[in-house]
Structures are given as C-alpha cells and as structure tokens.
Amino acid sequence: MAVGSAAIYGLIRWIKSAYMPYIVFLAAMLHMSYSHIQRQIHERSTGAVVMDYTGAQMVFVIKVTSLAFCVYDGRPNVVHPHMSAYQRKNAISRVPGVLEYLGYVFFFAGFSVGPAFELATYRKMIALDDTRARRQLPRRAYRKLLEGAFWMVIYVAYSNVYTYQAMTKPQFYAHRSLLSSALYMCTTGLVVRSAYYTAWKMGEGACILAGLGFDGYDAHGAVQWMDIANVHVRGVELGSSLRQLIDSWNVGTNTWLRHHVYLRISRTPADGARASSTRATVLTFLVSAWWHGFYPGYYLTFVLIALAANAARILRRNLHAIAALPADNHASALRRCVKCAYDVAGWILSKYTLDFAAAPFMVLSLQPSMQLWRDNYFVVPLAVLGIFIAFNVLGAGRFIRSLVGQPQPAPGKKTGKRLKK
C-alpha cells in the first residue's frame, strides 16, 4: 500500500488531463484486484478464509479515487456546469502536500474499516482547535463504543446458531416450510450484520474521538457536526424500502459510489442529461462487486440487488399513490390502516429481499449459492422478473392508475421507461 499510495499521488499531481481521475480509479482498482486475487488463491489452497490487508486497501481505494475526482472538480480551468452540491463542497483547488496526503490516506482511526471520508472533512478535523468542541467528543465516541459492544454480544451468542452455510445443505430443508426458511434467513442476516455493526461502530467511535466530523459553527455559534458513519442501523433494520436499506448500509462506500461512480455514469458530459437509471444502477453495483473482490457470490448479490432496487422503484412509483396520506394529513381511519399495512409490507419484503440477495455474498462460491437460492425457489429473482414483465410489458401501471382514478401520463412523458427522442 505504501508503494501504491506513492504511485497514485504521482498520478494525481502530474497528470493534467481530464482523464486523470479515471486513470487513478483504474490504477487503484487494478492494484486492489491483484491483492484480491492473491488472497483468493491463498484461501482456495488452504481452504480457510483469512483476514489480510485487502480490507484496509478497500478503504484506501475509496479515499484516493475520491481525492482524484475532488482535485479534478476543483481545477480552475475546467468548467463543471452540472456539478452536484456535494461535489462543489468537496472540490479541492490544489493537490495536497505529501505529508497531508499520507495523513489523510493512512489516518489510523479509520484505516482498517473506515468510515471513508473526503479530504475536505479531514482538513476540518486537523483545523479543530476549540476546547468546547473537544469536550463533546468523548460522549459522542463512547456511545458508538457501547453500540458496537451490544452488537458484539449478539454476534458471539448466535453466530454459530444462524449461518448461511447451514442453508446450503439439503437436510436443512427436510422439515422446514418456505416460511420457516424465510424466518431463519432473516434472522441469519441480522446475526451476520451484527459483526459488521460491531467493527463499524467502534471504527466510528475512534474517528469521532479524534475529532473527525467537525463542521464549523452555526449562526448562533453552536458547534456543528457532520454525520460520520459506516452504517445507520435503524435505517437498515427498520427501513420500509429497499432503497432506504441500501442507503443506510456501508454509508461511506455508498457515498463514494453515488457521487463518484453513479452520478458520473448517469450524466452525459455534453449537457448533463440523465442517462438510463437502470444501466447506471447496474454498472454501479458491478463496480461495487469488483471493489469487493472476485468471488462469484459477490456478483450474484450485487446484480440481484441492482435489479431488485429498480423493481422496487417501479412498485413504489405505481403503488405509493394508493397508500399515501393527503397533504393536509386529514385521512380516514381506513386510509391510515392502508398506509400502515403498506409500510409494514414494504419493510417485510425489503428485509427478505436484502437477506435473500446477501446469501451468496457470505457463501462466496457459485454452486452452493445457487443451491441455496434453488432450495428457496428463486423467490426474489422470479418476483423481480414478474414486476418487470407486469409493468414494462403488460402495462400494469396504467391498470392501477385507472383503478384508483389517477390520470394517465401524457404521450411522450417518462413513466419509468426511457423514451427515444
């Protein structure tokens, strides 16, 4: 990583082309890919999953590629008419010095598990010199430590009882119904996530204790803190939509994928117009899978989640009006019950979809992953396919709008499918 960081710093400093961030992105990903392949060869030869430096290198890749894009966004001779507010806020007008760069890349508190953050955030931490603000740090940090300790207890107590590996064995389904398997799968997903919650919450606490997240002062002189998080547990466990679950998980990586991958794929350089959201979503999830490594299970997980996210978007766009409360919030008891049922159904379906899709991510190998999905009747892939056929081929959206008395979209107006100009 020391050699890689030196090489990438040279690329950022000396390449003046508009392709600089993309060259850095490719170089960093290829370097990490080599490490992933070496680790997988070792694991295959020994038959044991090992912990090595690739986890820290994944955080490293987020930082250096984000830095490259931020330096590019801050160049004064480059016009960026379609930059987002996030990109403008984090644009860097000059390449950092060597010491600042190394301090940012190898920041100890977030070196192994994150959270990843932009150089602008790191600079605010370095500039923090306020006794009043520093007094707030221990309370905020130790709360994260307690959260991590709670999830560690959950993982230690149940990690040998609930495993995805058990679901790859045929005897597991001998006396279980589909519903019983679904409940076991969702419980397993929670137990597996508790290991991530433990590491991520403790990492968050270490970063906060160092002062990361300081965001200046408001109009009244009160200290402001930005959200420094690896994960929003409540959003993952209680979110009523798949989009909310995804956005709440691995927040630093999601931020990187959204602002430095998805938005740069989905906007054309010429006019900033949006490209196909489905294409951009699938490509973004494939980049995420590449970032994680080369086990087949990663690609099964991220491709299914990408397709499921688009299917969920179609469902919510067409069904939300049925359950939405009036703007004045004056709704009948029946309408409120419908809204409650809609939210509960969204939570159950989103959780099951997430846990179903995440199974190959933990199993890793192709054959056991497909066996697990087959034994659960490919419920989620078939449901996703059914939604695409119903709404994009059979016109279910028009039927629902006519059923609830909503006006049909005018010809030429986008309804979820891209229309040719």
Side-chain angles (χ1 to χ4, degrees):
M1 287 179 63
V3 174
S5 64
I8 288 173
Y9 182 76
L11 294 176
I12 294 174
R13 176 167 285 279
W14 300 114
I15 296 179
K16 305 302 180 183
S17 165
Y19 294 105
M20 181 274 291
Y22 302 98
I23 293 171
V24 169
F25 190 96
L26 185 61
M29 291 290 284
L30 288 176
H31 182 211
M32 184 179 62
S33 297
Y34 172 78
S35 301
H36 278 314
I37 291 171
Q38 289 291 101
R39 176 174 61 88
Q40 289 178 217
I41 291 174
H42 175 74
E43 289 177 353
R44 177 163 293 187
S45 63
T46 61
V49 177
V50 297
M51 295 293 292
D52 63 0
Y53 62 89
T54 52
Q57 192 172 8
M58 292 164 74
V59 179
F60 166 83
V61 166
I62 293 178
K63 287 184 175 180
V64 296
T65 54
S66 299
L67 176 62
F69 279 113
C70 290
V71 168
Y72 173 74
D73 290 338
R75 287 179 175 175
N77 60 330
V78 179
V79 179
H80 305 283
H82 305 291
M83 284 175 60
S84 67
Y86 180 92
Q87 291 168 340
R88 287 192 295 270
K89 177 182 177 181
N90 292 287
I92 303 298
S93 59
R94 60 177 177 83
V95 178
V98 174
L99 183 61
E100 184 181 31
Y101 169 77
L102 292 175
Y104 166 66
V105 169
F106 294 104
F107 176 62
F108 180 74
F111 179 72
S112 296
V113 295
F117 47 88
E118 304 285 3
L119 180 64
T121 304
Y122 175 77
R123 284 177 170 174
K124 288 180 180 179
M125 180 195 73
I126 296 300
L128 176 58
D129 187 19
D130 186 318
T131 304
R132 180 181 45 157
R134 290 201 170 275
R135 286 199 191 105
Q136 300 178 15
L137 297 177
R139 176 176 54 84
R140 299 176 66 245
Y142 293 143
R143 186 170 60 211
K144 301 291 185 181
L145 174 64
L146 291 176
E147 288 183 55
F150 169 79
W151 290 110
M152 180 171 61
V153 171
I154 298 295
Y155 182 75
V156 170
Y158 297 105
S159 59
N160 289 328
V161 180
Y162 296 96
T163 67
Y164 279 116
Q165 283 70 21
M167 299 187 71
T168 63
K169 297 176 173 56
Q171 58 267 30
F172 175 85
Y173 302 93
H175 303 289
R176 289 180 185 269
S177 63
L178 179 61
L179 177 60
S180 175
S181 297
L183 291 174
Y184 182 94
M185 180 181 289
C186 291
T187 306
T188 299
L190 174 62
V191 172
V192 168
R193 287 191 297 274
S194 66
Y196 290 87
Y197 295 156
T198 299
W200 282 346
K201 285 301 175 182
M202 291 185 177
E204 289 174 21
C207 289
I208 290 172
L209 193 60
L212 195 68
F214 175 69
D215 200 24
Y217 308 90
D218 63 15
H220 304 287
V223 178
Q224 289 185 305
W225 300 98
M226 65 180 68
D227 184 27
I228 297 297
N230 273 313
V231 62
H232 297 135
V233 177
R234 181 175 297 181
V236 175
E237 301 303 334
L238 299 178
S240 61
S241 71
L242 188 60
R243 182 78 263 167
Q244 186 179 356
L245 268 62
I246 294 171
D247 288 344
S248 300
W249 176 262
N250 206 349
V251 176
T253 303
N254 275 331
T255 301
W256 171 64
L257 290 170
R258 181 183 304 113
H259 294 286
H260 299 305
V261 179
Y262 177 83
L263 290 179
R264 297 179 193 272
I265 292 174
S266 63
R267 290 191 183 278
T268 59
D271 57 5
R274 281 294 182 96
S276 166
S277 62
T278 300
R279 169 179 165 273
T281 299
V282 171
L283 287 175
T284 301
F285 276 103
L286 285 175
V287 170
S288 181
W290 179 19
W291 178 75
H292 281 87
F294 297 100
Y295 281 109
Y298 295 156
Y299 295 84
L300 291 176
T301 291
F302 287 111
V303 169
L304 180 56
I305 287 182
L307 296 174
N310 278 284
R313 187 184 302 123
I314 292 172
L315 276 182
R316 293 187 75 85
R317 184 168 58 240
N318 287 279
L319 299 180
H320 183 71
I322 299 176
L325 296 177
D328 58 8
N329 210 29
H330 292 155
S332 64
L334 177 61
R335 191 67 179 269
R336 292 183 182 278
C337 288
V338 171
K339 177 64 168 64
C340 181
Y342 175 82
D343 290 338
V344 171
W347 173 67
I348 293 173
L349 293 176
S350 298
K351 289 288 293 179
Y352 181 69
T353 299
L354 177 66
D355 293 323
F356 186 100
F361 188 93
M362 302 307 302
V363 175
L364 299 178
S365 299
L366 179 61
Q367 194 279 330
S369 298
M370 295 303 296
Q371 182 65 45
L372 189 156
W373 279 3
R374 186 183 303 114
D375 290 335
N376 286 275
Y377 304 100
F378 293 105
V379 171
V380 174
L382 290 176
V384 169
L385 179 62
I387 290 169
F388 285 141
I389 292 174
F391 287 92
N392 292 343
V393 178
L394 302 180
R398 289 183 173 274
F399 172 75
I400 292 174
R401 281 188 289 272
S402 64
L403 191 66
V404 299
Q406 283 188 318
Q408 300 293 342
K413 186 176 179 180
K414 290 184 179 181
T415 61
K417 293 195 292 182
R418 251 184 118 213
L419 303 179
K420 293 183 179 179
K421 293 183 179 179

